[in-house]
Amino acid sequence: MIETDVAIAGGGPGGSTLGSLLKKYNPDIRVSIFEREKFPRDHIGESQLPPISAVLNEMGCWEKVEAANFPIKIGATFRWGQTNELWDFEFLPLGHFKNEPRPAKYRGQRLQTAFQVDRAIYDKILLDHAKEFGCDVREETQVRQIDRTGDRIDGMVLDNGEQVRAKYYVDASGNSALIRRAMGVEVDEVSVLKNVAFWDYWENAEWAVEIGVGGTRIQILSIGYGWIWFIPLGPTRTSIGIVCPAEYYKKSGKSPEQHYLDSLALEPRVTGLIRNATRSGKTWATKDWSYVVDRAYGENWFLVGEAAGFADPILSAGLTLTQTGARELAHIILELERGGHDRKWMLDWYSETQIRRVRQHIRFADFWYTANGVWKDAREYTREIAKDVGLDLDADAAFKWLGAGGFAWDNAGQVGLGGFDLAGVKSLTQKFTGDKAQWTLNDFNIFRINLEGADKSETPIFANGKIHAVPSYSRGAKTLNAVGVFAFLIDFFQRDRDISELFDHIKRYRGAGLGFATEHLALHHLTQTLEVMLADGWVTARFSRNKPKITMNTPEEGEIIHPNKE
């Protein structure tokens, strides 16, 4: 009999992140991780987004991951939409990236970048780190059975017949979903997309671009019926895969290997990069069907990562959703142990947030596919995206709402989705539809916060192993959390103030303590957030001829999204 406080099924990034943070903030809590495989082992999902770096730093694992010499992900190069031209999206403008020796610290420009990781190495680093923190890690140990009474788990049975009893049970088993399936949790396949993926690993492929020391971009290249990913994982190893509709593959009548090789042969950019490379010879395959659960917790159990939902890989969001969700769950379990906050409040927030994030990423991924000709009317499809968050809008209003980033609430205190901030969302909307992106801020220059008729509640913020409750406001399907940049603007515009006062304040107080590296970056996020608050009715605005105004513009070529320069 194994007795523990937290039993985690699955030792991938979700389970190891959760275990490490639980032990970091409460060394006395007993954590057991049961992983069916022996690490290292290969796994799909190698491309990260910048929020993961902050989680790794909090775990105390940044230095270990950085020392593994994974490529630094600056962004991505795309061939997508109604053009054959290549274009780049960059987390950090290329001209701002500076050469620095590696391994480097988590500071400066590295706050805005991500990694491209060899999962065989990365997952082992994280699992070993959890073990070093004191987690009881058992590899080659599969959970065979979940014993339950109603919605409560009574215990787990391992493949060797040993029983496990815990206070909390966590499903971090990915799409195996051991606990989710045993507890009968319903799954909604939100998207009409039914894609499959085939991939292999190549040695000595050339990088498409080398940026400074260790920097590069992944390649996402449309080939008509699907798209190819090209992700360098280290100095010599590269992951190359093809995604296409399952129905298309089925009708082709080809074997997975033949379909994979024929697809790569259609892309001269890739064939040029692999001309001197060799592949492992094993063609991997999986279905990439987006799905999300109807709840992420029960009486004494939780779902984290892909056990709770999966979004199409076009946005490289899988690891980010998994590890940020695991971080939040760690804080919630720690608070459950302390009894510091209302249980239902925390757990409802956790479930609703994980579900909303996955749905948003699914819908945003679907919108990408409209630009690739999957659906003919991208503008009309935005109605479906709006409906998913409770808004019944016509096509024009839904398109305007999407361009305003009305659904982009990925990170507390900022607006953004899938690595794109609001300016990026507008730029993509403009690129994919051909319609000029509009900024409502251009029509006004005097603003005031508007909380009239809003219901006030609280939302959790996670820091240093504890949860802090901050004010939250809701009107219908729209929510405003007084966190980060939002909190600053709520306070600043308590009375009528013109836009120049905001700029003057940021310059006078050098970013107003918002944690941005520069005043320019602070203003960048403040104006984007003000745009969203205005679009959602949280700010009233008017225009005065006697006051200065700003002009916001979304150029076809900017620092973040622009034609490929290589």
Side-chain angles (χ1 to χ4, degrees), residues 10-66:
S16 55
T17 298
L18 174 62
S20 290
L21 290 173
L22 285 170
K23 294 295 288 186
K24 173 182 177 177
Y25 293 121
N26 182 0
D28 294 330
I29 195 169
R30 297 173 299 170
V31 179
S32 298
I33 301 176
F34 304 99
E35 168 55 48
R36 69 180 179 182
E37 298 189 58
K38 175 66 177 176
F39 285 11
R41 54 89 179 97
D42 284 315
H43 200 285
I44 197 172
E46 302 104 341
S47 182
Q48 299 187 348
L49 299 176
I52 287 185
S53 295
V55 177
L56 293 174
N57 188 57
E58 183 176 3
M59 292 167 60
C61 202
W62 162 270
E63 287 80 6
K64 295 177 182 178
V65 174
E66 169 67 3

Side-chain angles (χ1 to χ4, degrees), residues 151-319:
D151 198 40
R152 181 177 182 82
I153 295 179
D154 299 317
M156 302 191 308
V157 181
L158 305 178
D159 53 1
N160 62 5
E162 199 167 9
Q163 295 189 343
V164 179
R165 295 288 182 270
K167 193 171 184 179
Y168 310 103
Y169 298 85
V170 179
D171 190 342
S173 63
N175 58 20
S176 297
L178 299 170
I179 291 175
R180 186 190 81 202
R181 297 177 194 275
M183 302 310 289
V185 177
E186 295 292 327
V187 170
D188 182 12
E189 293 180 358
V190 181
S191 174
V192 298
L193 287 169
K194 297 291 185 289
N195 286 335
V196 289
F198 305 92
W199 72 98
D200 197 356
Y201 299 98
W202 294 70
E203 285 292 326
N204 298 316
E206 296 178 33
W207 288 15
V209 56
E210 295 187 37
I211 303 169
V213 178
T216 189
R217 299 187 209 94
I218 67 170
Q219 308 286 300
I220 302 293
L221 305 167
S222 174
I223 55 171
Y225 60 81
W227 57 274
I228 292 171
W229 78 69
F230 182 97
I231 307 174
L233 306 178
T236 64
R237 198 174 197 228
T238 299
S239 171
I240 307 176
I242 167 71
V243 176
C244 72
E247 191 62 27
Y248 178 90
Y249 166 68
K250 187 184 300 183
K251 288 181 179 179
S252 75
K254 298 178 181 178
S255 68
E257 181 173 21
Q258 192 60 53
H259 174 70
Y260 174 71
L261 294 175
D262 287 351
S263 297
L264 295 191
L266 294 175
E267 175 45 62
R269 184 171 176 84
V270 171
T271 55
L273 295 171
I274 62 175
R275 63 182 178 274
N276 296 318
T278 56
R279 54 183 287 249
S280 77
K282 177 180 179 180
T283 303
W284 302 68
T286 189
K287 66 176 186 178
D288 277 339
W289 295 3
S290 298
Y291 61 88
V292 65
V293 295
D294 63 356
R295 60 180 179 135
Y297 78 91
E299 188 172 332
N300 63 341
W301 55 267
F302 308 92
L303 310 178
V304 72
E306 289 184 16
F310 173 78
D312 187 279
I314 185 63
L315 295 174
S316 301
L319 275 176

